[in-house]
Amino acid sequence: MSFVLKLNGIEHTVDAEPGTPLLWVIRDELKMTGTKFGCGVASCGACTVHVDNEPTRSCQTYIEDVVGAEITTIEAIGKTKAGAAVQQAWEELDVVQCGYCQSGQIMSAVGLLTGNTKPNVEEIHDYMDGNACRCATYQRIRAGIQRASEIMEG
């Protein structure tokens, strides 16, 4: 079956069965590999994308449910103010260790900063809960979000 998706501002027609997770359409059909498979049950956050500006776990989001929505992946998040700030902060603070979870971490961090440009430590912790990092760089991730907030200020 054919579906038209608007991904990173570009319309794509893809062939997939109803019930196919968006993650596999992004990775296998559109060859955009920045969005990662982690757990497959929406628990780790590695597959996070934005659907209509909301962080969404793509492993449990079906293709038919996002037709007509604006989907943003890690490949385009730097075009937003919050995305550019998060990417700059991640680089400045050397947040990444192995990097596998980082596209999901960044997508969630951008979601937080889009709605709350000055989150406190508790708000960061609560919002980012559910994004797993195998290397346990949680302190660096929180520091990166705080730095991104400063960058957005000015």
Side-chain angles (χ1 to χ4, degrees), residues 22-44:
L22 177 60
L23 170 66
W24 300 119
V25 173
I26 292 169
R27 290 183 60 81
D28 294 345
E29 298 297 319
L30 299 174
K31 307 299 183 202
M32 301 174 97
T33 57
T35 304
K36 304 297 184 198
F37 172 77
C39 66
V41 294
S43 291
C44 73

Side-chain angles (χ1 to χ4, degrees), residues 34-37 44-50 55-58 73-74 77 86 90 99-112 127-128 130-132 141 145:
T35 304
K36 304 297 184 198
F37 172 77
C44 73
C47 69
T48 302
V49 298
H50 288 191
T56 304
R57 304 299 200 243
S58 64
T73 67
I74 189 70
I77 200 65
V86 168
W90 253 236
Y100 193 84
C101 70
Q102 291 304 307
S103 59
Q105 299 282 358
I106 289 169
M107 297 302 286
S108 291
V110 170
L112 169 60
Y127 195 92
M128 297 299 289
N131 282 81
I141 291 165
I145 293 169

Side-chain angles (χ1 to χ4, degrees), residues 40-146:
V41 294
S43 291
C44 73
C47 69
T48 302
V49 298
H50 288 191
V51 176
D52 291 332
N53 297 314
E54 290 294 322
T56 304
R57 304 299 200 243
S58 64
C59 71
Q60 291 292 305
T61 301
Y62 302 116
I63 187 169
E64 63 269 22
D65 295 332
V66 294
V67 171
E70 178 66 40
I71 304 161
T72 306
T73 67
I74 189 70
E75 286 85 358
I77 200 65
K79 295 177 183 175
T80 67
K81 181 178 180 179
V86 168
Q87 288 176 337
Q88 180 183 335
W90 253 236
E91 191 173 318
E92 281 181 15
L93 299 179
D94 198 22
V95 170
V96 178
Q97 189 162 322
C98 86
Y100 193 84
C101 70
Q102 291 304 307
S103 59
Q105 299 282 358
I106 289 169
M107 297 302 286
S108 291
V110 170
L112 169 60
L113 292 170
T114 298
N116 178 359
T117 59
K118 290 185 170 186
N120 62 39
V121 174
E122 185 176 315
E123 290 168 327
I124 293 170
H125 177 76
D126 290 347
Y127 195 92
M128 297 299 289
D129 188 41
N131 282 81
C133 176
R134 294 174 181 157
C135 302
T137 62
Y138 299 110
Q139 289 180 329
R140 293 194 318 223
I141 291 165
R142 283 191 292 274
I145 293 169
Q146 290 172 317

